[in-house]
Amino acid sequence: MIVRWETNHDYVLVHIHQDMFGDWIFSRAWGQIGTQFGGLKHQLADTLEQAQMWLEDEATIQSSRGFRKVLEVADHTPEGQEAMRQLSLLDVL
């Protein structure tokens, strides 16, 4: 699952996925739209339910900061693949 929130200037993107060992990974990217300013953090969740709880917490936080949800898709959709491409670019910066 991929979820993205935005304001006029900033974004936050969360990706919940399983790695090749079956562990659940909660990845969070953030930054300024149109720039290379931002960051990327990966967290290992004990269960899918824990990762989903973190996602709910993130949604509450971003909503309170004035962010609006602009994307919520599965990884395998074209929109999800494009979001993953953008996320992977952050890994090399």
Side-chain angles (χ1 to χ4, degrees):
M1 169 179 283
I2 299 169
V3 182
R4 181 179 171 112
W5 297 268
E6 292 181 358
T7 64
N8 290 336
H9 306 287
D10 302 311
Y11 72 91
V12 174
L13 185 139
V14 169
H15 179 220
I16 297 174
H17 61 284
Q18 274 187 303
D19 66 10
M20 63 186 204
F21 302 109
D23 294 324
W24 288 101
I25 309 298
F26 182 91
S27 299
R28 181 179 180 273
W30 64 91
Q32 294 178 346
I33 295 172
T35 73
Q36 293 183 356
F37 295 111
L40 177 63
K41 181 178 181 182
H42 304 286
Q43 292 176 264
L44 179 64
D46 292 330
T47 62
L48 173 59
E49 291 74 23
Q50 182 181 37
Q52 290 171 330
M53 182 183 67
W54 292 345
L55 177 61
E56 291 170 12
D57 292 346
E58 191 70 36
T60 300
I61 291 166
Q62 297 315 322
S63 176
S64 72
R65 292 178 177 170
F67 281 71
R68 65 192 179 286
K69 187 189 302 183
V70 296
L71 179 70
E72 184 170 349
V73 296
D75 303 28
H76 62 277
T77 63
E79 296 88 359
Q81 292 296 316
E82 176 60 21
M84 286 304 304
R85 188 187 69 72
Q86 293 174 6
L87 186 62
S88 67
L89 291 175
L90 293 173
D91 272 328
V92 296
L93 296 177

